[in-house]
Amino acid sequence: MFVAKSIAADHKDLIHDVSYDFHGRRMATCSSDQSVKVWDKGDDGEWHCTASWKTHSGSVWRVTWAHPEFGQVLASCSFDRTAAVWEEIVGESNDKQRGQSHWIKRTTLVDSRTSVTDVKFAPKHMGLMLTTCSADGVVRIYEAPDVMNLSQWSLQHEISCKLSCSCISWNPSSSRAHPPMIAVGSDDSNITYSGKVQIYEYNENTRKYAKAETLMTVTDPVHDITFAPNLGRSFHVLAIATKDVRIFKLIPMRRESANSSGPTKFEVQVMAQFDSHNSQVWRVSWNITSTLLASSGDDGCVRLWKANYMDNWKCTGILRGDGSPVNGSGHAAALSQIRSSLRESS
Amino acid sequence: MEEVDVEPSTTLIPGAGFYQKHLGFEWGPGDLIVYETNYKLQGPRSAGSPSVHIVRRDEDICSPILRKLFSESHLIFVGLQKIKEDVFVSISKNYRSVIRACMEELQQNAGKRSHDTHPVSILLAIELIWNLCEVLFIDAAPAGSLLLQLLDWVRLHKSDVDAKAREVLQSDSPAQHQSYWDVISLVLQGRTDEARQVLSKQASLRAESSSVFKRMDGLLQTMPIFNPTGTQTLTEFEVKWRHWHEECDRCLQDNTFASNRHLETICKILVGDEDTLLEQKELLSTWYHFLVTRLLFTHPTIKPPDLHYYAQSSMNMFLGPRASPEPLDIILLSAFEFDLHQVIKDCSIALNNWWFVAHLTDLLDHCKLLQSHNLHFGSNLREFLVLEYASGLFTHHSLWQLAVDYFDHCPEFGRVYLELQIERVPLDTERKAIKVLRICEDRQMSEQVRSICKIMAKRALRNNRLGSALSWTIRAKDAAFATLISERFLQDYSNKGSFTDLDLLDNLGPAMLLSDSLTFLGKYREFHRLYGEKRFSEAARLLLSLMTAKIAPRSLWMTLLTDALPLLEQKEVKTDNSCFTVTQLPQ
């Protein structure tokens, strides 16, 4: 059902994140070896590493691309308590011939007192805005007011979540019906504050972010969180990686009075819940049309979930390492498949 | 109806899971990147050099011959959306001929590329299923015609019979040919004329047995075949057929063919003896051939609703207690049971690509069959499948253009799917960008237009191609960026003393009004042009208006004044106004 092709990443330590750019022609990888590598897909369909450089003084947890409207821009975050913004500089012609490009640091964001666990750019219609979250429980939203000068960033908002934060996700909807909304997940094992997912919404009047919702039913540590692309729906869909995979539907409720100034109230429903990993789920991610959700868990599997036209969710595929060491050169195109006859406990 | 729970298959990624247990991943265009990692962030460091693995569905989209299938069926699809008359059967035949053409081409190339044999068998199955659906659902043959069409269906998909028969007939002594008695296959397919032709070879040889052969020839010749366009009613046909059937039976009772076991077998077939038919398993090769043959010789006037009973029992009898049905068998059985929904569902699961279910369901929807089969979410199902298929096409570097038409004909979600996916098409070249843009402009997708132009403008600016950046910015209607680029132009001018991209600047037209800086840039260039053409009074007037309009960037005020000086010396230029303005300019 699937074919796999491997590429030697050449990092000297664990890879923590891989990120495709908007068009899927470039890729960035980051590692505990403190570096980030950028890869370009050639016309031949092969990936070539075009840049590799040390970015932090600790493990780099996440790397992410800005929208190409802002140019070739990357952000990274690290155990070293900082997040950084990088821009590609158009190099000399001999660099191009050698297939190398240069990235320079535009800014370092040092506000966090602890490891910065996630970094994400806000949806492009909000401008060039970068968001970080840290183990110190603070979500920080920065803005570059002049998109031509990426060395100037101002800290616009600090949201104190009271719990150590592990992940953030922006609602990608650019509809005017929905104010900017960000979901924050916490992997804190604190049981006093039981709701581990908080949703903040921007208020035009106060010009601040206010908490709109806490998902009280999510009581276990949350490792990843992601809004689904909005397909013109009036409600929002949010997937969460916790002790299982959970998909929530957030339906904005009509405001009682036209002038009500508080954040939107939501009706929260569980669209689906999967515990097939039978263990901690660490990552969840939607494909571009939100028709497929992928999740990765402690069981060493990546599972793909799909809803049919009747909105019934099912697992449609499983990926797992075969436990063999990688061949040296790394271009083993292989197709291997077994029909799992084990009934997954559901 | 219950959901058949199909277990998801597991794919093993070679080279992962050795050093670290966890798998990280990220969605890409049409694929997934998977890599070893450790989410617990503690524990053993990675000893070896980690790899990333690009994982994608093993889809037929990669075969160049199948791509032809996609592009030709695209034409049929688009045509279908526009027609108003009931020509669905011919459209169905069009689709099938495209499948056949593709299959033949694949078979021709089969020797060269080993991984094409798999698609051939898939296409065979697809055509088989589609053909059956056409007979049962689209053409909706009534009793009488139904069997004839099923016979055609079987004959089409078991065509080796023709080749064998030809081989026998063309040999030197056909009657001695080792496959001579495979003439039974012709009988099994109801091809009595051809069977008679083969049998006549035998008859001419042996004088003593000629009467027996003549008898058989007689039976074969008089076998009634229903004529749907004729005047005979179904009942009349049935009566005639029953008489003939009784005559065949009498021959058996009388042991007419006892001297020749082959002819005896043929006679038993003619009366529809099940055991005899089952003995011909090898010649029949499939249970559905068995089904149709069985019906031919026992119930030629079978009605559609009665089909499923015979289908189920035929399959059971043919396969026997130990063999279990394949996915294809289940699908065909569902079709015989007129369970459209099950057919579509099972095909979706069994096949690796949405092509088949999307096009077939779309056609069935046009025939209004999805509603009549109690699929009240019918049009949702059609749209769902078409969206799936088109989304899959979108990841391909050239087929994505076909996908656009499919999205156009999905009224509920087509537009938003297209908006989402067209933005991601890599803008490798200007030409490709323009192609993408035109698609968006045609559909008033203004945000996508703006975004694509902005991306191209930014890219051009990074590479210092100011002219290109400016044209893209104008197309994006991005005032802020236009200001930025205009300032760059002016900066360049200050540094070099001349303008670049004169063609562009001279032909800005109303686009100039996008931003003040751009207007200034355009007009300033115009000033230089007028000056160069020695049209000094016009130049002076323009310069004056530029100064009064106050749209000049601060950095250029001195330059403007300097530009004014030589003009003041020109006799044609009126000086009073300019002096007035010069004093007005802030210091």
Side-chain angles (χ1 to χ4, degrees), chain B residues 540 543-550 557-568 573-587:
Chain B
L543 187 60
L544 209 57
S545 63
L546 281 178
M547 289 193 217
T548 31
K550 297 198 174 71
W557 286 345
M558 275 314 292
T559 320
L560 287 181
L561 285 173
T562 330
D563 288 331
L565 289 176
L567 283 175
L568 293 172
V573 175
K574 284 193 201 154
T575 48
D576 21 16
N577 274 344
S578 51
C579 289
F580 170 70
T581 318
V582 163
T583 53
Q584 288 234 305
L585 283 174
Q587 291 306 309

Short mmCIF file of all heavy atoms in Angstrom, two decimals, chain B residues 540 543-550 557-568 573-587:
data_model
loop_
_atom_site.label_atom_id
_atom_site.label_comp_id
_atom_site.label_asym_id
_atom_site.label_seq_id
_atom_site.Cartn_x
_atom_site.Cartn_y
_atom_site.Cartn_z
N ALA B 540 8.95 70.57 -17.32
CA ALA B 540 8.92 71.50 -16.19
C ALA B 540 7.58 71.44 -15.47
O ALA B 540 7.51 71.39 -14.24
CB ALA B 540 9.19 72.92 -16.68
N LEU B 543 7.47 68.31 -13.44
CA LEU B 543 8.32 68.41 -12.25
C LEU B 543 7.65 69.26 -11.18
O LEU B 543 7.66 68.93 -10.00
CB LEU B 543 9.68 69.01 -12.64
CG LEU B 543 10.72 69.00 -11.53
CD1 LEU B 543 11.00 67.58 -11.05
CD2 LEU B 543 12.01 69.66 -12.00
N LEU B 544 7.05 70.31 -11.64
CA LEU B 544 6.33 71.19 -10.73
C LEU B 544 5.21 70.45 -10.01
O LEU B 544 5.06 70.54 -8.80
CB LEU B 544 5.74 72.34 -11.55
CG LEU B 544 5.57 73.65 -10.82
CD1 LEU B 544 6.89 74.10 -10.25
CD2 LEU B 544 5.06 74.70 -11.80
N SER B 545 4.45 69.73 -10.81
CA SER B 545 3.32 69.02 -10.19
C SER B 545 3.82 67.96 -9.21
O SER B 545 3.20 67.71 -8.19
CB SER B 545 2.42 68.39 -11.26
OG SER B 545 3.13 67.42 -11.98
N LEU B 546 4.97 67.38 -9.54
CA LEU B 546 5.52 66.38 -8.63
C LEU B 546 5.90 67.03 -7.31
O LEU B 546 5.71 66.48 -6.23
CB LEU B 546 6.75 65.71 -9.25
CG LEU B 546 6.47 64.63 -10.29
CD1 LEU B 546 7.76 64.09 -10.87
CD2 LEU B 546 5.67 63.50 -9.67
N MET B 547 6.45 68.22 -7.41
CA MET B 547 6.85 68.90 -6.19
C MET B 547 5.65 69.33 -5.38
O MET B 547 5.62 69.18 -4.16
CB MET B 547 7.71 70.13 -6.54
CG MET B 547 9.09 69.77 -7.05
SD MET B 547 10.12 71.23 -7.06
CE MET B 547 11.05 71.01 -8.51
N THR B 548 4.65 69.84 -6.06
CA THR B 548 3.47 70.32 -5.34
C THR B 548 2.66 69.17 -4.75
O THR B 548 2.07 69.27 -3.69
CB THR B 548 2.53 71.15 -6.24
OG1 THR B 548 2.64 70.64 -7.57
CG2 THR B 548 2.90 72.59 -6.23
N ALA B 549 2.65 68.06 -5.45
CA ALA B 549 1.84 66.93 -4.97
C ALA B 549 2.40 66.34 -3.70
O ALA B 549 1.74 65.60 -2.98
CB ALA B 549 1.76 65.87 -6.06
N LYS B 550 3.65 66.65 -3.42
CA LYS B 550 4.28 66.17 -2.18
C LYS B 550 4.32 64.65 -2.07
O LYS B 550 4.22 64.08 -0.98
CB LYS B 550 3.57 66.75 -0.94
CG LYS B 550 3.64 68.26 -0.84
CD LYS B 550 3.32 68.70 0.59
CE LYS B 550 3.51 70.20 0.79
NZ LYS B 550 2.50 71.03 0.13
N TRP B 557 14.22 65.14 -2.56
CA TRP B 557 13.88 66.54 -2.72
C TRP B 557 15.02 67.36 -3.31
O TRP B 557 14.82 68.19 -4.20
CB TRP B 557 13.46 67.15 -1.38
CG TRP B 557 12.09 66.70 -0.96
CD1 TRP B 557 11.15 66.09 -1.74
CD2 TRP B 557 11.52 66.82 0.33
NE1 TRP B 557 10.03 65.83 -1.01
CE2 TRP B 557 10.22 66.26 0.26
CE3 TRP B 557 11.96 67.35 1.54
CZ2 TRP B 557 9.38 66.23 1.36
CZ3 TRP B 557 11.12 67.31 2.63
CH2 TRP B 557 9.84 66.75 2.55
N MET B 558 16.24 67.10 -2.77
CA MET B 558 17.39 67.83 -3.29
C MET B 558 17.57 67.53 -4.77
O MET B 558 17.84 68.42 -5.57
CB MET B 558 18.68 67.44 -2.55
CG MET B 558 18.91 68.21 -1.27
SD MET B 558 18.64 69.98 -1.48
CE MET B 558 19.99 70.44 -2.56
N THR B 559 17.40 66.27 -5.11
CA THR B 559 17.55 65.86 -6.51
C THR B 559 16.54 66.58 -7.39
O THR B 559 16.87 67.06 -8.47
CB THR B 559 17.34 64.34 -6.65
OG1 THR B 559 17.96 63.70 -5.56
CG2 THR B 559 17.89 63.84 -7.97
N LEU B 560 15.34 66.71 -6.89
CA LEU B 560 14.30 67.37 -7.68
C LEU B 560 14.66 68.84 -7.92
O LEU B 560 14.50 69.37 -9.02
CB LEU B 560 12.94 67.30 -6.97
CG LEU B 560 12.25 65.92 -6.96
CD1 LEU B 560 10.92 66.02 -6.25
CD2 LEU B 560 12.06 65.42 -8.37
N LEU B 561 15.16 69.42 -6.85
CA LEU B 561 15.56 70.82 -6.99
C LEU B 561 16.69 70.95 -8.01
O LEU B 561 16.69 71.83 -8.86
CB LEU B 561 16.00 71.40 -5.64
CG LEU B 561 14.86 71.69 -4.67
CD1 LEU B 561 15.41 72.08 -3.31
CD2 LEU B 561 14.00 72.81 -5.22
N THR B 562 17.61 70.03 -7.89
CA THR B 562 18.73 70.04 -8.84
C THR B 562 18.23 69.84 -10.26
O THR B 562 18.73 70.46 -11.20
CB THR B 562 19.74 68.93 -8.50
OG1 THR B 562 19.72 68.69 -7.10
CG2 THR B 562 21.12 69.30 -8.96
N ASP B 563 17.23 68.97 -10.40
CA ASP B 563 16.64 68.73 -11.72
C ASP B 563 16.00 70.00 -12.26
O ASP B 563 15.98 70.26 -13.47
CB ASP B 563 15.57 67.63 -11.65
CG ASP B 563 16.18 66.26 -11.45
OD1 ASP B 563 17.32 66.05 -11.89
OD2 ASP B 563 15.50 65.41 -10.82
N ALA B 564 15.47 70.81 -11.31
CA ALA B 564 14.74 72.00 -11.74
C ALA B 564 15.67 73.06 -12.29
O ALA B 564 15.30 73.85 -13.17
CB ALA B 564 13.94 72.56 -10.57
N LEU B 565 16.89 73.09 -11.76
CA LEU B 565 17.81 74.17 -12.13
C LEU B 565 18.02 74.36 -13.63
O LEU B 565 17.80 75.45 -14.14
CB LEU B 565 19.17 73.96 -11.43
CG LEU B 565 19.15 74.19 -9.92
CD1 LEU B 565 20.50 73.86 -9.31
CD2 LEU B 565 18.79 75.65 -9.63
N PRO B 566 18.41 73.29 -14.34
CA PRO B 566 18.64 73.50 -15.78
C PRO B 566 17.37 73.98 -16.50
O PRO B 566 17.44 74.70 -17.48
CB PRO B 566 19.10 72.14 -16.30
CG PRO B 566 18.73 71.17 -15.24
CD PRO B 566 18.68 71.90 -13.96
N LEU B 567 16.22 73.58 -15.95
CA LEU B 567 14.97 73.98 -16.60
C LEU B 567 14.73 75.47 -16.48
O LEU B 567 14.17 76.12 -17.37
CB LEU B 567 13.78 73.23 -15.97
CG LEU B 567 13.62 71.78 -16.41
CD1 LEU B 567 12.51 71.12 -15.63
CD2 LEU B 567 13.36 71.70 -17.90
N LEU B 568 15.18 76.00 -15.32
CA LEU B 568 14.97 77.42 -15.11
C LEU B 568 15.71 78.26 -16.15
O LEU B 568 15.33 79.38 -16.44
CB LEU B 568 15.42 77.82 -13.70
CG LEU B 568 14.58 77.23 -12.56
CD1 LEU B 568 15.21 77.51 -11.21
CD2 LEU B 568 13.17 77.78 -12.61
N VAL B 573 10.44 77.94 -20.44
CA VAL B 573 9.80 77.61 -19.16
C VAL B 573 9.39 78.86 -18.42
O VAL B 573 10.16 79.79 -18.26
CB VAL B 573 10.78 76.79 -18.29
CG1 VAL B 573 10.20 76.54 -16.92
CG2 VAL B 573 11.11 75.50 -19.01
N LYS B 574 8.18 78.89 -17.95
CA LYS B 574 7.71 80.01 -17.15
C LYS B 574 8.36 79.94 -15.79
O LYS B 574 8.40 78.87 -15.16
CB LYS B 574 6.20 79.92 -16.96
CG LYS B 574 5.41 80.31 -18.17
CD LYS B 574 3.95 80.52 -17.78
CE LYS B 574 3.10 80.40 -19.03
NZ LYS B 574 1.77 80.00 -18.78
N THR B 575 8.84 81.04 -15.32
CA THR B 575 9.59 80.97 -14.08
C THR B 575 8.79 81.37 -12.85
O THR B 575 9.10 80.98 -11.73
CB THR B 575 10.83 81.88 -14.14
OG1 THR B 575 10.40 83.15 -14.63
CG2 THR B 575 11.85 81.29 -15.09
N ASP B 576 7.77 82.18 -12.99
CA ASP B 576 7.11 82.68 -11.79
C ASP B 576 6.52 81.58 -10.91
O ASP B 576 6.74 81.56 -9.70
CB ASP B 576 6.02 83.71 -12.12
CG ASP B 576 5.53 83.57 -13.56
OD1 ASP B 576 5.82 82.50 -14.17
OD2 ASP B 576 4.91 84.47 -14.05
N ASN B 577 5.83 80.64 -11.54
CA ASN B 577 5.23 79.58 -10.73
C ASN B 577 6.27 78.76 -9.98
O ASN B 577 6.11 78.40 -8.83
CB ASN B 577 4.39 78.63 -11.61
CG ASN B 577 2.99 79.18 -11.79
OD1 ASN B 577 2.56 80.06 -11.04
ND2 ASN B 577 2.30 78.65 -12.78
N SER B 578 7.33 78.48 -10.68
CA SER B 578 8.34 77.62 -10.08
C SER B 578 8.99 78.30 -8.90
O SER B 578 9.28 77.66 -7.88
CB SER B 578 9.39 77.19 -11.11
OG SER B 578 9.87 78.33 -11.78
N CYS B 579 9.22 79.58 -8.96
CA CYS B 579 9.83 80.27 -7.82
C CYS B 579 8.93 80.19 -6.63
O CYS B 579 9.34 79.92 -5.50
CB CYS B 579 10.05 81.77 -8.17
SG CYS B 579 11.36 81.96 -9.37
N PHE B 580 7.66 80.39 -6.89
CA PHE B 580 6.65 80.33 -5.83
C PHE B 580 6.71 78.96 -5.14
O PHE B 580 6.71 78.87 -3.92
CB PHE B 580 5.29 80.60 -6.47
CG PHE B 580 4.13 80.32 -5.56
CD1 PHE B 580 3.89 81.15 -4.46
CD2 PHE B 580 3.28 79.26 -5.80
CE1 PHE B 580 2.81 80.92 -3.63
CE2 PHE B 580 2.20 79.04 -4.96
CZ PHE B 580 1.96 79.85 -3.88
N THR B 581 6.79 77.92 -5.94
CA THR B 581 6.79 76.56 -5.39
C THR B 581 8.07 76.27 -4.62
O THR B 581 8.05 75.65 -3.57
CB THR B 581 6.63 75.53 -6.50
OG1 THR B 581 5.65 75.99 -7.40
CG2 THR B 581 6.22 74.19 -5.93
N VAL B 582 9.17 76.73 -5.18
CA VAL B 582 10.45 76.43 -4.53
C VAL B 582 10.47 76.99 -3.12
O VAL B 582 10.94 76.38 -2.18
CB VAL B 582 11.62 76.99 -5.38
CG1 VAL B 582 12.88 77.07 -4.56
CG2 VAL B 582 11.82 76.12 -6.60
N THR B 583 9.91 78.18 -2.96
CA THR B 583 9.90 78.75 -1.61
C THR B 583 8.95 78.00 -0.70
O THR B 583 9.09 78.00 0.51
CB THR B 583 9.49 80.24 -1.64
OG1 THR B 583 8.25 80.32 -2.36
CG2 THR B 583 10.53 81.07 -2.35
N GLN B 584 7.99 77.35 -1.31
CA GLN B 584 7.02 76.61 -0.51
C GLN B 584 7.57 75.30 0.04
O GLN B 584 7.10 74.78 1.03
CB GLN B 584 5.79 76.29 -1.37
CG GLN B 584 4.95 77.49 -1.66
CD GLN B 584 3.51 77.23 -1.26
OE1 GLN B 584 2.95 76.25 -1.72
NE2 GLN B 584 2.97 78.07 -0.42
N LEU B 585 8.57 74.77 -0.65
CA LEU B 585 9.11 73.48 -0.21
C LEU B 585 9.75 73.63 1.17
O LEU B 585 10.54 74.53 1.38
CB LEU B 585 10.18 72.98 -1.19
CG LEU B 585 9.67 72.38 -2.49
CD1 LEU B 585 10.85 72.09 -3.41
CD2 LEU B 585 8.91 71.10 -2.22
N PRO B 586 9.40 72.76 2.09
CA PRO B 586 9.98 72.86 3.43
C PRO B 586 11.48 72.61 3.38
O PRO B 586 11.94 71.81 2.57
CB PRO B 586 9.29 71.75 4.23
CG PRO B 586 8.63 70.87 3.23
CD PRO B 586 8.45 71.64 1.97
N GLN B 587 12.18 73.26 4.23
CA GLN B 587 13.65 73.14 4.24
C GLN B 587 14.07 71.81 4.82
O GLN B 587 13.57 71.40 5.82
CB GLN B 587 14.24 74.29 5.06
CG GLN B 587 14.04 75.64 4.36
CD GLN B 587 14.60 75.61 2.94
OE1 GLN B 587 15.74 75.21 2.74
NE2 GLN B 587 13.78 76.01 1.97
#
